[in-house]
Structure formats: C-alpha cells, structure tokens
C-alpha cells in the first residue's frame, strides 16, 4: 500500500532520475547532431517502393494520388498545372483519386463518373472542371457529399444529374473505381497529395512545392534511360505476338482452302 509518506520519500529519487534521464537525452541528441553530416534541408521526400506495372510505351509515368477534400491537393494544383506545362512529351501524367472520404466526398466515384461522361479527359475543359470542384469544396465550402447540394452544383455547371447517376452505376465506372482502390493498396498511399514516378518512386510534399518538383524532375531524368530500355525490350515480344496471330490466320486460311467442297 503506497502512502503519502512513502511518496514523499521516493519523490527526490524520482526527480533525480528524471534529471539524469533528461541530461542523458540531451547529451545523445548533441552528439548525434555533431556526428550527422551537414546537408541541405529537404521539404519533400522520395522513397523507393516495390516496382508497380507501367505501360511500356517509352514514356515516363507520373501519377498524382489526390482527393478533392484535401486542402493540400487544392493548394498544389496551380503549381502542378505550371509544372505539367513545361514537361516534355515523354512524360505521361495521370491523376488517381483516392478513397479517403475527406469532407464526405467520394473523389474516386466523382472523378471516374465525370471521366466516363467525357468531362474529365485531357484538355482545358477537364482542367476547368477539376479546378471548379476544388474551389467548390475548399473555397466555397460546399458539402458536395450531400446529394441535394451536389445535384444543385451539377445543374449550375450545366451537367445533367440523371445522366451523372446513370454513368456512376455503369460497369465501366465501377471497374475503374475498383482499380483505383486497388492501386491505393498496391502503392501503400497513406496521405495526399502523393506523386509516383515510373511506378518506382513515391514522392510526398512536406512543406512546399519547389523541392517536391525538384525531386520529381530528378527522378524523371534518372528513369528516362530505364524507360527506353524497357520499351526496346518489349518490342520483340509485341512482334512475336503479331507473328503468332499472323501464323494462325495463314494456317486457318490454308485449312479452309484444303477443305473438300
């Protein structure tokens, strides 16, 4: 049974222990700082991940995992737009919405439904709609996760709500939603915005966009030779498949010709 007197007797020793512990931690931190190599502070980090499948088309794939309810994604958007404009033709940028229902918004369903309606494909029209969604959620504070509010917003954009619902429930959209959710698991995405270069490097923003895009540009440059090598290696396989199909067509034609009439 612990009494008040026992606590009083023990407290000086505990205080001494705390002081000793704090002193030891301070000493360890000081020596670690002295031993650490000097270098520039980074505002973002790039992490190598298990390679994910990408298209062998000679282009470097850059994915952005985002959510419409993510204010950091909204803040990054103008910087991302400027970065995309200066990219060469061998960089293939794609957006991948994530299933984090921030502010009650299902970004995955919304994005792929608009895409199926032809409103979220490449082009100025798509970029404007993308920006309008970010503004509605993060600047106008509209709760687009609410069906009545979302319906009114769709009508204000000149989009037919009934057509939206029809496309949302289509087989093609459900397949894309399923694929996006699987990618979230495969790439182990834990926060937004997160960008992935060539299916191998995961880049997250910590403080500002400048260092983020410095990392991405560096990784694109490093990946360029690997992408070309993969594209060259894939050519013989494509030719082999075409030859197999051609041989099958010729064989079928021969059998048809040889058949008795």
């Amino acid at each position: 049974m612990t009494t008040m007197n026992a606590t009083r007797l023990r407290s000086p020793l505990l205080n001494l222990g705390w002081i000793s512990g704090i002193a030891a931690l301070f000493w360890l931190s000081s020596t670690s700082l002295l031993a650490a190599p000097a270098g520039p502070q980074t505002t973002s980090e790039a992490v190598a991940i298990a390679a994910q499948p990408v298209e062998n088309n000679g282009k470097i794939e850059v994915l952005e995992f985002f959510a419409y309810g993510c204010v950091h994604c909204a803040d990054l958007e103008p910087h991302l737009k400027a970065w995309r404009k200066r990219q060469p033709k061998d960089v293939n940028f794609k957006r991948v919405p994530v299933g984090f229902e921030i502010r009650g918004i299902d970004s995955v369903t919304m994005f792929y439904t608009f895409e199926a309606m032809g409103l979220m494909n490449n082009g100025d029209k798509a970029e404007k709609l993308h920006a309008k969604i970010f503004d509605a959620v993060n600047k106008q504070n509209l709760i687009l996760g609410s069906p009545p509010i979302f319906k009114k917003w769709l009508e204000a954009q000149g989009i037919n709500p009934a057509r939206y619902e029809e496309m949302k429930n289509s087989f093609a959209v459900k397949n894309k939603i399923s694929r996006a959710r699987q990618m979230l698991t495969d790439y182990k995405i834990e926060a937004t915005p997160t960008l992935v270069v060539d299916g191998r490097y995961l880049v997250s923003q910590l403080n500002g966009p400048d260092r983020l895009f410095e990392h991405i540009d560096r990784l694109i440059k490093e990946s360029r030779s690997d992408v070309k090598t993969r594209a060259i290696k894939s050519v013989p396989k494509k030719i082999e498949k075409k030859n197999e199909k051609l041989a099958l067509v010729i064989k079928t034609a021969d059998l048809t010709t040889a058949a008795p009439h």
Side-chain angles (χ1 to χ4, degrees), residues 31-208:
T31 54
S32 298
L33 287 170
L34 289 171
Q41 289 187 335
T42 59
T43 55
S44 55
E45 60 178 4
V47 179
I49 60 173
Q52 299 299 317
V54 294
E55 294 180 18
N56 290 324
N57 58 1
K59 293 188 177 183
I60 302 156
E61 183 180 82
V62 177
L63 303 177
E64 183 210 10
F65 288 87
F66 77 97
Y68 284 119
C70 166
V71 66
H72 302 294
C73 299
D75 291 341
L76 182 65
E77 191 60 25
H79 302 282
L80 183 61
K81 186 177 180 180
W83 173 82
R84 289 178 62 193
K85 284 183 178 179
R86 65 175 186 265
Q87 293 310 301
K89 292 182 179 180
D90 69 341
V91 175
N92 186 25
F93 175 80
K94 294 180 182 178
R95 289 188 174 101
V96 183
V98 302
F100 308 148
E101 291 197 11
I102 307 170
R103 303 186 187 185
I105 301 166
D106 184 356
S107 300
V108 182
T109 300
M110 188 183 293
F111 181 85
Y112 288 117
T113 302
F114 283 140
E115 186 181 74
M117 295 174 73
L119 302 175
M120 202 54 79
N121 301 317
N122 293 329
D124 291 337
K125 187 177 180 180
E127 292 303 314
K128 286 178 181 177
L129 178 60
H130 194 66
K132 282 182 179 179
I133 300 169
F134 272 125
D135 287 347
V137 177
N138 298 283
K139 292 183 179 179
Q140 301 168 26
N141 293 317
L142 293 179
I143 310 300
L144 295 186
S146 166
I149 294 174
F150 184 54
K151 182 181 178 181
K152 288 182 180 179
W153 184 85
L154 286 174
E155 290 171 344
Q157 311 311 313
I159 299 171
N160 187 336
R163 176 63 175 160
Y164 178 89
E165 289 298 319
E166 180 186 349
M167 294 305 299
K168 184 180 77 171
N169 296 314
S170 68
F171 181 75
V173 169
K174 287 182 178 180
N175 268 351
K176 287 193 174 184
I177 290 171
S178 177
R179 172 59 183 149
R181 297 192 192 285
Q182 185 60 48
M183 288 177 72
L184 188 69
T185 302
D186 293 343
Y187 284 90
K188 296 180 174 59
I189 303 299
E190 297 179 351
T192 54
T194 296
L195 286 89
V196 178
V197 179
D198 193 33
R200 297 182 297 160
Y201 303 105
L202 187 148
V203 190
S204 302
Q205 178 180 251
L206 296 181
N207 291 320

